[in-house]
Amino acid sequence: MPIASSHALLLLIVVLLTIGCAPKQSAVRADLRATDTAGRVPALFDAADQQDPQTLAELVHALMDEDPAVRLFAIQALQERTGQTLGYHYYDPAEPRRAATQRWHLWLDQQSGQSSPATAEVDTQP
């Protein structure tokens, strides 16, 4: 067997072994309160389809996460469920995000007596 073929075969074996040893994506448990982004992001996607008020509160909580990906998917899920952003931008500095998150908390308080996430009085979506 030529040397080039031997190296190609060895490389193929290493690649196959590496793929077989990699953690499976399905092993990551989707959880809005997970400590790692890999666990939170799939849960944020699922939360967009859920209708329970507790999930809305978890999404609002995620708006102040230090990971911008978590914040992005949280606001997308909230927008999908409510049709609004309340002026929240995941990429804003902490203070504007804090103010927008406070608007979301006020919105949640207003919704607590309602059965579905109706629109708030003011939508400051761009």
Side-chain angles (χ1 to χ4, degrees), residues 75-117:
I75 192 59
Q76 285 181 338
L78 283 166
Q79 187 174 12
E80 238 180 87
R81 286 187 58 179
T82 67
Q84 55 197 343
T85 65
L86 299 182
Y88 180 90
H89 302 282
Y90 77 95
Y91 50 81
D92 279 346
E95 193 52 43
R97 283 189 288 115
R98 193 172 292 114
T101 301
Q102 183 60 34
R103 288 191 294 274
W104 275 106
H105 283 290
L106 292 171
W107 182 88
L108 280 174
D109 290 344
Q110 292 173 351
Q111 305 309 308
S112 63
Q114 298 179 10
S115 60
S116 66

Side-chain angles (χ1 to χ4, degrees), residues 36-102:
D36 63 325
T37 302
R40 285 187 302 229
V41 170
L44 292 166
F45 282 114
D46 293 343
D49 298 327
Q50 297 175 10
Q51 294 303 316
D52 66 286
Q54 181 59 38
T55 304
L56 278 173
E58 295 287 342
L59 288 170
V60 170
H61 176 77
L63 294 177
M64 286 306 294
D65 197 277
E66 58 187 52
D67 188 326
V70 170
R71 297 191 309 258
L72 169 65
F73 295 124
I75 192 59
Q76 285 181 338
L78 283 166
Q79 187 174 12
E80 238 180 87
R81 286 187 58 179
T82 67
Q84 55 197 343
T85 65
L86 299 182
Y88 180 90
H89 302 282
Y90 77 95
Y91 50 81
D92 279 346
E95 193 52 43
R97 283 189 288 115
R98 193 172 292 114
T101 301
Q102 183 60 34

